[in-house]
Amino acid sequence: MSRASLPDAPGPGGPGAEAPDSRTPGFEVPSPGTPGAEVPGPGTPGSQDSGGPGTGGGAGTVPRVLVVWCPDWPVTAVGLDASVPAAVVASGRVEACSAAARATGVRRGQRLRDAQRHCPGLVVRDRDPDAEGRLFETVAAAVSTITPWVEVVRPGVCAIPVRGAARYHGGADRETAEESLRIHVQDTVVERGFDCGVGIADGLFAAELAARTADGGAIVPPGGAAEFLAPYPVTVLNRPELADLLPRLGIRTLGAFAALPARHVASRFGADEVRAHRLARGLDVRPPAPRPPHADLSVATEFDPPATAAEQVVFAAKTLAERLHEALAAEALTCVRIGVEVTDAHGRTQSRLWRYDGGVVGRGHGGETGVAGRSNGGEGGALSALAVAERVRWQLSSWEAPPDDEGVGGIVLLRLLPDQLVPDEGRQEALWGQVTISDRIMRAAARVQAMLGHQAITRPYPAGGRAPGERVVRVPVGDLPPGPAASEGRWPGRIPDPAPAVVHPDPLPVRVTGADGAPVTVSARCAVSAPPRQIEIDGRVLPVTAWAGPWPARERWWDPARFRRRARFQVVTADGGARLLVVEGGRWYVEADYA
Amino acid sequence: MDLVPVLPALRAVIPGGGLRPGTVTGVDGSTALALALAAGLGDRWCAVVGLPEAYVPAAAAFGGADGGLDPMRVLLVDAPGRRWADVVAALTDGCAMVIVRPPEEPPAPVARRLTTLARRNGCALVTTGPWAGAALRLRVEANHWAGVGDGTGHLRGRRALVTVSGRGAAGPGRRVWLWLPGPDGTVTVAEHEGPARLEALAG
């Protein structure tokens, strides 16, 4: 989404503030009142028709959102204080700068050379998106103590739904409830040592701008988003082309842009501009779903009698996840996060939000976290049912030892809620730079899975081992790939390349005999009793023309149950075949074929 | 319609330098050759249906510096069972190549349906089983293994004698020696060997 890089600091000093404070120099705050005055839209005589500002932005349609915004997060993430004149750069341009640097005239987008001219003592660091994502987890975790439904919009900005949270925090009316929630969230984050602004408004866009107003954020009353947004310049839409074009048409503020009739915008611009227009009008980017998605798309299963074994719940979770996925697919939606709610026999409910495109999921797998904050659980965007089941298992295991006395007493309800629904665009970032699975491939794979089951279609992932068959694991499409295990590194006794083109899933028994017709044996010291002269597979006798080996392998000698001592041979036969044979306990098998 | 690309070395056996979408290429006698056909796909996807024993990484280095068959772009359906044709039909949409071994010779209507779908989706079919309508048949007639002696060395490479037949073949009955793979792991055209030696090997 284009929101991923809103300008660094439209900053505090919102619409009401005539004089922006030191954190927002360069940001021109237009005086309110202009929007109504100039509406010279393309071919628009008047602006009365079709949903002007405020008309569609009723509190009922756009959800109330609280946004936590940590200023200059890229700078914070590299460990620099706001009082230090510092800039974070990428490819020679300033990506973010500290408040102190901004005071000297450093700006986002400036060339580093220019920035250093403005501020000779500038501390310069390379941008570290990885650290940004990782460090922001601290903030997200702090906010999640208030409500589990935390959405990390991007490192530096996270959002929670106000409904529910505000009700929980109480207050005589909406205003006091929201204000107490806002203060509570702000205190919680500041306690962790991060400066932040907190704003509440209808929809994410307005809420983020509200969070950036002076004095640590503001509350925009329901239905007031359009009015609140009106004085902002069109640049806050973060659409450079539009920000270039609109002022040339005399449209400088969101209010003026919003005043254009929607149908004129739609007829003259593309879908993205229509989205921007909706934003300017204080509406959510996406048209509000006709139904509240949570009520409609969540899936639940009851256990009667209560499930006492985790396995039972985990199994049900897999089926539920499949149902959820189908329901989402039917709506052409995908979800960024999935909420898992578990209710026990005592009526206690534990809910947790599992992210599918963020670092949270990665925490469970050591080593996954450091991927630019973007490791992902289910590849291809489709929620793998197994991946969901895995998370349910984690959640249950965290609940197994409740602080209080008598234990859980069985699970009566499991509910999965799709969270953060987004249109399914069939794109997902790859894990560790692995091959991204495209929407089209995912769809084809899903059709095969629908026919034959989840496990039926797999992808080969490298794994460690000596035998060719051990060097690959097949992972069902959509499932978590194995960790970067021992695939690298040396495997003494490994059969040298080339690899065989055929590895028999079940090794074929074979008889190997020497010149005298006696079976060839291999001693514990790896001495071959006689050179193999012929092999017999399925009654076919094949003379051996060349052979090599043995390659001994004492595998898993540390584990008596899985310990194996075997030896491998390469054998070329007169029919032109070359095979990899393995002998173990006096029995010979064809393990692989170089056919 | 764009051709499905093959490795430069295989242009000796594939007329036109690539496989036409919707055509069926039969490969007999060598799984490695079937995998080698997919080694020129680049960033396209490949599916392997009904060959649980096929070891995809074997073809990973077939292309040398250009890379080979990327195992990360391969989908495996090991046991499609009776629904193999539906599986192939689904996979033609998205994969540039589907390598399939049908459990039995596909009836004509099934084969027609699959080739039509494959043509529409830009997918080439490769089969290691019987397939009456195959435009091209590649057959490994003989192998000459290098590197192994009498209890010494290890396999380093092989020269395979590939014969080309079928109505799609430029010169039917064409015989080409290929390194499959060579000592460096790549598939290349092997220099010609004397006929006497050939016969001895084929014998």
Side-chain angles (χ1 to χ4, degrees):
Chain A
M1 292 276 294
S2 56
R3 266 204 220 110
S5 57
L6 269 173
D8 188 28
E18 291 296 325
D21 70 8
S22 65
R23 286 156 80 185
T24 59
F27 177 70
E28 293 168 28
V29 180
S31 61
T34 38
E38 31 167 281
V39 193
T44 319
S47 64
Q48 305 80 315
D49 56 344
S50 105
T55 50
T61 51
V62 183
R64 301 286 286 165
V65 174
L66 178 147
V67 164
V68 179
W69 168 72
C70 296
D72 309 320
W73 187 253
V75 180
T76 311
V78 294
L80 294 169
D81 195 77
S83 58
V84 179
V88 169
V89 298
S91 48
R93 286 189 183 271
V94 175
E95 292 261 312
C97 60
S98 67
R102 195 156 36 241
T104 66
V106 178
R107 292 287 175 275
R108 183 169 180 260
Q110 247 171 3
R111 278 192 308 199
L112 179 57
R113 225 177 319 145
D114 298 336
Q116 279 167 331
R117 206 167 51 228
H118 282 290
C119 180
L122 192 68
V123 179
V124 178
R125 293 285 164 83
D126 278 334
R127 188 160 188 183
D128 186 355
D130 188 8
E132 285 169 33
R134 212 167 39 222
L135 189 62
F136 199 67
E137 285 301 330
T138 320
V139 176
V143 178
S144 70
T145 60
I146 296 156
T147 168
W149 306 101
V150 182
E151 178 200 338
V152 176
V153 178
R154 63 175 185 278
V157 177
C158 68
I160 59 172
V162 169
R163 266 187 69 175
R167 200 182 320 138
Y168 179 76
H169 282 269
D173 52 6
R174 181 198 57 77
E175 271 171 59
T176 43
E178 287 188 349
E179 182 58 22
S180 72
L181 173 68
R182 196 186 77 78
I183 297 299
H184 182 54
V185 171
Q186 194 159 31
D187 288 351
T188 308
V189 176
V190 171
E191 266 171 32
R192 303 287 172 111
F194 297 106
D195 186 16
C196 76
V198 177
I200 296 178
D202 296 340
L204 193 65
F205 179 66
E208 187 175 340
L209 288 174
R212 293 167 169 229
T213 53
D215 306 325
I219 293 178
V220 179
E227 194 189 332
F228 166 74
L229 293 172
Y232 279 90
V234 290
T235 48
V236 298
L237 289 167
N238 195 35
R239 284 165 170 80
E241 284 179 23
L242 209 55
D244 179 52
L245 175 68
L246 290 177
R248 285 193 272 139
L249 297 170
I251 299 167
R252 292 190 171 76
T253 64
L254 292 188
F257 185 40
L260 299 179
R263 59 188 169 83
H264 287 285
V265 174
S267 64
R268 283 166 178 76
F269 295 101
D272 189 52
E273 285 76 11
V274 171
R275 277 199 290 276
H277 188 242
R278 285 187 65 84
L279 282 181
R281 287 157 63 202
L283 304 175
D284 221 26
V285 187
R286 275 170 283 116
R291 297 155 296 191
H294 279 203
D296 203 46
L297 293 174
S298 73
V299 289
T301 189
E302 286 179 25
F303 299 98
D304 188 16
T308 48
E311 278 312 310
Q312 195 183 346
V313 183
V314 171
F315 185 78
K318 184 170 177 288
T319 321
L320 269 190
E322 275 162 9
R323 260 169 56 200
L324 176 65
H325 181 48
E326 278 165 25
L328 288 174
E331 306 272 330
L333 293 169
T334 182
C335 65
V336 177
R337 265 165 283 280
I338 184 162
V340 177
E341 264 185 30
V342 188
T343 306
D344 72 4
H346 302 302
R348 288 176 300 196
T349 296
Q350 188 216 36
S351 67
R352 181 158 302 167
L353 203 54
W354 294 100
R355 289 204 288 165
Y356 263 80
D357 66 345
V360 171
V361 168
R363 272 193 204 141
H365 290 243
E368 271 185 49
T369 37
V371 193
R374 286 258 178 248
S375 61
N376 87 38
E379 256 183 280
L383 307 182
S384 145
L386 283 182
V388 171
E390 196 175 17
R391 277 146 193 77
V392 171
R393 189 196 303 278
W394 294 344
Q395 188 166 336
L396 288 174
S397 68
S398 76
W399 212 15
E400 257 164 9
D404 55 354
D405 42 11
E406 71 268 62
V408 177
I411 303 296
V412 293
L413 184 75
L414 170 70
R415 184 192 297 278
L416 301 182
L417 305 97
D419 189 55
Q420 266 301 297
L421 292 168
V422 292
D424 190 354
E425 288 166 0
R427 245 182 322 107
Q428 194 83 3
E429 281 174 75
L431 185 61
W432 307 308
Q434 276 169 353
V435 173
T436 314
I437 191 157
S438 75
D439 187 29
R440 203 169 161 213
I441 293 291
M442 202 62 214
R443 212 164 38 228
R447 280 164 67 192
V448 174
Q449 284 175 328
M451 277 182 253
L452 301 174
H454 179 76
Q455 310 277 1
I457 184 161
T458 56
R459 295 171 74 190
Y461 282 89
R466 288 180 188 83
E470 293 168 349
R471 293 214 290 270
V472 154
V473 288
R474 289 159 140 84
V475 178
V477 173
D479 273 13
L480 298 169
S487 57
E488 303 304 322
R490 298 173 54 81
W491 287 89
R494 211 190 111 164
I495 305 303
D497 282 340
V502 165
V503 174
H504 298 289
D506 301 309
L508 314 172
V510 62
R511 223 172 96 82
V512 180
T513 49
D516 57 354
V520 175
T521 57
V522 180
S523 74
R525 289 173 177 276
C526 239
V528 185
S529 65
R533 284 296 169 245
Q534 63 177 24
I535 64 172
E536 186 182 333
I537 309 169
D538 281 345
R540 272 195 314 149
V541 177
L542 301 168
V544 172
T545 57
W547 65 282
W551 286 275
R554 289 160 53 86
E555 287 166 9
R556 305 188 188 93
W557 46 266
W558 59 88
D559 181 351
R562 295 164 71 202
F563 168 71
R564 324 181 74 157
R565 182 165 55 205
R566 7 164 79 182
R568 293 191 170 84
F569 289 78
Q570 286 176 335
V571 170
V572 179
T573 48
D575 65 341
R579 294 178 176 84
L580 183 66
L581 306 187
V582 61
V583 56
E584 182 180 9
R587 293 173 190 279
W588 289 81
Y589 299 92
V590 181
E591 194 171 36
D593 222 306
Y594 291 87
Chain B
M1 186 75 79
D2 291 344
L3 292 178
V4 176
V6 295
L7 288 179
L10 291 175
R11 290 184 191 148
V13 292
I14 308 286
L19 298 169
R20 200 161 328 111
T23 57
V24 179
T25 305
V27 177
D28 299 315
S30 174
T31 307
L33 182 56
L35 293 176
L37 286 177
L41 287 177
D43 58 0
R44 296 170 183 80
W45 282 72
C46 172
V48 180
V49 179
L51 288 94
E53 77 282 11
Y55 186 66
V56 170
F62 278 2
D66 303 331
L69 177 57
D70 180 358
M72 291 314 301
R73 296 181 196 276
V74 175
L75 298 174
L76 304 171
V77 183
D78 288 342
R82 286 177 298 107
R83 306 203 63 181
W84 71 270
D86 294 328
V87 169
V88 172
L91 292 172
T92 57
D93 187 4
C95 295
M97 182 178 291
V98 177
I99 302 174
V100 57
R101 181 174 58 207
E104 74 276 312
E105 165 129 30
V110 172
R112 224 172 12 248
R113 171 175 161 241
L114 291 180
T115 49
T116 309
L117 274 173
R119 183 165 55 245
R120 196 189 303 151
N121 292 320
C123 171
L125 297 176
V126 172
T127 179
T128 60
W131 196 300
L136 199 64
R137 279 228 159 252
L138 307 180
R139 178 174 192 83
V140 172
E141 300 270 355
N143 292 302
H144 183 199
W145 298 92
V148 197
D150 194 14
T152 56
H154 65 85
L155 287 180
R156 293 185 183 277
R158 74 156 145 183
R159 274 164 290 188
L161 174 60
V162 179
T163 57
V164 190
S165 60
R167 51 193 164 77
R174 199 155 170 225
R175 295 149 74 88
V176 180
W177 280 95
L178 290 180
W179 277 109
L180 191 66
D184 58 351
T186 64
V187 176
T188 47
V189 176
E191 63 279 18
H192 202 270
E193 292 198 41
R197 185 73 192 276
L198 271 182
E199 295 312 318
L201 281 166

